[in-house]
Amino acid sequence: MTISVMVVDDHPIWRDGVARDLGEHGFDVRATAADADAAIRIARAVRPDVVLMDLNLDGSSGVRATQSITGELPETRVLVLSASGEHDDVLEAVKAGASGYLVKSASVTELVDAVRRTAAGDPVFTAGLAGLVLGEYRRMASAPADDQAPRLTERETDVLRLVAKGLTARQIADRLVISHRTVENHVQSTLRKLQLHNRVELARYAIEHGLDDGEDPDGG
Amino acid sequence: MTERDPATPLWWGTIVLRVITLLFAAGAVLVHRDGYEREWLAWTALGVMAAWTVGTSVCYSRPALRLAALVAVDVLLTCGLMLTSPFVLSAGQYAEAAPLVTTVWAAVPPLAAGARFGAVGGVVAGLVVAVSTGVARLEVNLDVARDGVLLTASGLLIGITATTARRSQATLARAMRAEAANAERERLARSIHDSVLQVLARVRRRGHDLGGEAAELARLAGEQEIALRSLVSTKPSVPVGGPTGTADLRSALQLLATSRVQVSAPAGDVALPEGTVDELVAVAREALSNVERHAGPSAKAWVLLEDLGEEVVVTIRDDGPGIPAGRLAAAEREGHLGVAQSIRGRVAELGGTATLETAPGAGTEWEIRVPRESRSGRRP
């Protein structure tokens, strides 16, 4: 089955280039969008399997678009493709529901592979993202007020550290003497716990601040 | 003095105080005039005091007119008026310690001097007025000494306050300049991201697909793209609001990223003493250059930074051929173990440990653990 894709990026040279690369590799590029609002609107209409999301759309609106799309369309997966240098916004996007992250400097082969894996429901993790996620769990563990915060199991910590040190899933499986599938499951689970916690936090914030209608006060 | 003097509230304080003390002085003259030796001189002095109060009020309310000379004249004129007292007051009034013509009005100029010149100016003016009080009183007694202490202390306090206010304003101005510079850096980063980086990335990918000479160009474009990207995405290495003498290890390590070196780190600053940051970056650099020398130019490397609270862990791993077991020990016996020894030594200086793990075909991995001396630098 052909995988349908939507490319969100505010820069036309990059957006059209990526769309063409994916088209040449047999993907069905259903749509492109240049900003967060268009991305949310078009995604609702075309329901792509994978959204390739740039985060550098005015401010942090790429994170907002990721949140809306993964919240509304459970079948659609968001793969962050960003030049933003593996910082806070990538972590925010992953917490908001993105299932993976790839740097823009990745090769076409890596991109094609990442889109396939994202469509199949596998997490796409760079070493950089693993470092961010590890850091986030440790930050939560050292924040005394947050006893609701998720914790990593010992095994999950081991797996994340190895990913952050650049080992592939297969190398990790060999080193820990577990199956390739188990490695992926551990990684998946670290993401799911973060995303779930993020949703709970957002809901708690909404209840405390009376934002019950889901309207974005900053205009959206 | 610039258009915005942070001591302005102090100047307004002296103006208000001078008006109030003038009314007090007028009341004192009214009460004591029947006993005066020369009542006309008392009224004349009071008239000059009133005129001076108006004049200084006008001048001190304008930052441009708060001149050093005016403040000096203020102090001297006040002393002069005070010294009319021996000609105004009768011997009987002196005996019962009636107030001098200027009374508490004379306490204001030391405050103005403090506001204008700082602590030293305030103290000097306070001493001058105190001495003049002693002369006008025709004796030095406990009252004169007490007035002297109060005058000097008030000049000192206002002086310290004025200096502190000016320093805080200067600090604030510096902080605002730093913020402006940061905003400019971010603006540049955005514009580089929107233009140069996109084109470089496109050249790299298209050229790679075309192959041949284009692939070589693509490689060059790719290297510049990564260099530029790490430059614009790295924050200034001094954590904003962090304690002085600390630096952010995360942004410093991120500068080591190249097309073959990937750096992983937490999202927030990892603040450590500046010297520790410099040493750890130097150690990571040494390990990475060793990778290039021994594992070949095609080997990839990863740097991982972890902040465990009590300690900071930096891991440098490569996917090169690794070092066969025994060769390391052999080298150590022969006494030429340059890099490994140097890394161990530097880390030991920081009170940490450096472990090297390697096996043929499994690359090499340095794990460097350094304790955090004080938790004050920690920013969760």
Side-chain angles (χ1 to χ4, degrees), chain A residues 11 14 17 20-21 56 83 86-88 104-105 108 111 127-128 131-132 138 142 161 164-167, chain B residues 193-194 198 201-202 204-206 229 233 250 254 262 264-265 267 302 304 306 308 315 317 365 367 378:
Chain A
H11 204 279
W14 178 267
R20 200 178 58 188
D21 288 345
N56 277 293
E86 315 202 334
H87 283 309
D88 328 20
K104 278 190 171 176
S105 51
V108 179
L111 174 66
L132 286 170
R138 285 183 177 139
S142 69
R161 286 194 79 209
K165 287 190 246 176
L167 278 81
Chain B
H193 166 260
D194 286 344
Q198 307 291 335
R202 191 68 204 133
R204 174 180 51 72
R205 299 190 39 182
R206 211 52 209 162
R229 198 162 272 168
S233 67
R250 179 185 62 119
Q254 251 148 4
Q262 208 185 333
S264 312
W302 290 266
L304 169 63
E306 295 167 278
L308 303 185
T315 312
R317 190 186 84 88
E365 181 174 326
E367 189 176 88
R378 182 99 199 276

Side-chain angles (χ1 to χ4, degrees), chain A residues 7-21 52 54 81-83 103-106 111, chain B residues 197-205 225 229:
Chain A
V7 182
V8 185
D9 198 304
D10 62 347
H11 204 279
I13 297 180
W14 178 267
R15 191 174 62 230
D16 300 342
V18 168
R20 200 178 58 188
D21 288 345
L52 278 179
D54 179 34
L81 186 61
S82 184
V103 276
K104 278 190 171 176
S105 51
L111 174 66
Chain B
L197 274 180
Q198 307 291 335
V199 176
L200 281 177
R202 191 68 204 133
V203 168
R204 174 180 51 72
R205 299 190 39 182
E225 180 200 346
R229 198 162 272 168

